[in-house]
Amino acid sequence: AQSVTQPDARVTVSEGASLQLRCKYSSSVTPYLFWYVQYPRQGLQLLLKYYSGDPVVQGVNGFEAEFSKSNSSFHLRKASVHWSDSAVYFCAVSMNSNYQLIWGSGTKLIIKP
Amino acid sequence: EAGVTQSPRYAVLQEGQAVSFWCDPISGHDTLYWYQQPRDQGPQLLVYFRDEAVIDNSQLPSDRFSAVRPKGTNSTLKIQSAKQGDTATYLCASSLAGQDTQYFGPGTRLLVL
């Protein structure tokens, strides 16, 4: 069965520092890959997505993610975080063209001043 | 353009009571999803519709949960006899068929005492 693992429940970084949030998936085929962000009291919002091609994809607000087929991973990165990036980040995958999503458990990002 | 709207935003029930959640998707979106998101977990798909038809309700606890979308626009999710284990946030999302991006509402936070 397909699954998504986000091994870090919480990540704390200082404002201005770089960030990596980890995501690993289990699938017999390369899925469609997504990162969503959930700000407090708001709905989930798409940050970026990957289907094929260049393994590094750019998203909104300076986020990018890198797909690795050999590692079955899709890690999210940002060069310099801002306090407004404080949120919960979810990795999700879809195995079919119906785009039914399988979600990770989320990583809460805490920004230290 | 208005986003996905949900009501109520919060609900508190005693076990055994019934509750209904309402979702208004983005205008023109033919696909609508209901998710359950327990605290500190990722969303879990309950059911999704294309227009008024149920495409997949395999994860819906059918003995107590029901969902309808009679005119292919708004949708209602109902819990007949709530249990403490139903405590979660209920998310509604919509998309266009064949499009990968789901747009989420702010959710309804349910607490069952």
Side-chain angles (χ1 to χ4, degrees), chain B residues 48-70:
Chain B
Y48 84 100
F49 298 84
R50 186 148 299 135
D51 299 318
E52 67 276 8
V54 173
I55 303 301
D56 184 352
N57 63 357
S58 59
Q59 302 303 311
L60 197 65
S62 58
D63 58 335
R64 296 185 299 109
F65 285 64
S66 62
V68 294
R69 194 186 185 200

Side-chain angles (χ1 to χ4, degrees), chain A residues 36-87:
Chain A
Y36 278 80
V37 60
Q38 189 172 37
Y39 297 104
R41 295 174 295 282
Q42 295 186 31
L44 287 151
Q45 301 169 30
L46 180 68
L47 275 179
L48 47 77
K49 59 190 176 187
Y50 173 80
Y51 288 170
S52 63
D54 188 337
V56 179
V57 292
Q58 303 297 319
V60 298
N61 297 334
F63 285 95
E64 67 175 27
E66 183 167 6
F67 166 68
S68 171
K69 185 174 183 177
S70 59
N71 293 323
S72 297
S73 67
F74 189 54
H75 300 331
L76 182 71
R77 303 188 300 230
K78 187 170 184 178
S80 177
V81 297
H82 186 264
W83 64 267
S84 60
D85 294 324
S86 298

